[in-house]
């Protein structure tokens, strides 16, 4: 499989109901959406990072930055015949 392109977007979504924790109340979240095109096929994914580094040090924007600057350039244009080969490239 040859990866032709990766598109990244940060989107802000409104929650159906407010989410309350000891950190406060949230009515929305930022999420990273990923669109990957390979061999004429398109797939979508989502990074699990949230808006605030409360449960994890990572945020949607740090995930976006790492994917944009390091991960996507490492694989776009490359051919991978298994998930293991893709993981090897990320190493």
């Amino acid at each position: 499989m040859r990866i032709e392109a990766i598109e990244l977007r940060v989107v802000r979504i409104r929650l159906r109901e407010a989410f309350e924790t000891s950190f406060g109340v949230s009515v929305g979240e930022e999420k990273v959406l990923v669109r990957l095109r390979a061999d004429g096929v398109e797939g979508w994914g989502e990074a699990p990072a949230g808006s605030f580094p409360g449960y994890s040090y990572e945020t949607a924007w740090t995930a976006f930055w790492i994917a944009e600057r390091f991960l996507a350039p490492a694989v776009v244009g490359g051919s991978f015949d298994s998930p293991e080969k893709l993981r090897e490239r990320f190493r």
Side-chain angles (χ1 to χ4, degrees):
M1 171 182 292
R2 183 179 175 281
I3 298 179
E4 299 160 3
I6 295 177
E7 181 182 339
L8 302 162
R9 298 179 188 181
V10 176
V11 296
R12 178 120 176 111
I13 60 170
R14 184 160 180 80
L15 301 175
R16 289 178 92 174
E17 296 180 19
F19 180 69
E20 186 172 357
T21 68
S22 60
F23 296 116
V25 178
S26 177
V27 295
E29 276 289 326
E30 291 175 326
K31 295 293 179 185
V32 179
L33 298 182
V34 180
R35 180 170 72 171
L36 187 141
R37 287 193 307 269
D39 294 338
V41 178
E42 180 176 289
W44 285 84
E46 175 187 345
S51 301
F52 176 76
Y55 298 110
S56 167
Y57 58 88
E58 191 169 45
T59 68
W61 285 103
T62 59
F64 178 88
W65 189 77
I66 293 296
E68 179 184 56
R69 299 285 183 212
F70 302 103
L71 300 178
V75 298
V76 170
S79 293
F80 305 92
D81 57 6
S82 71
E84 290 77 24
K85 297 291 185 186
L86 186 64
R87 280 197 298 270
E88 286 175 18
R89 177 66 63 92
F90 285 147
R91 274 192 215 118

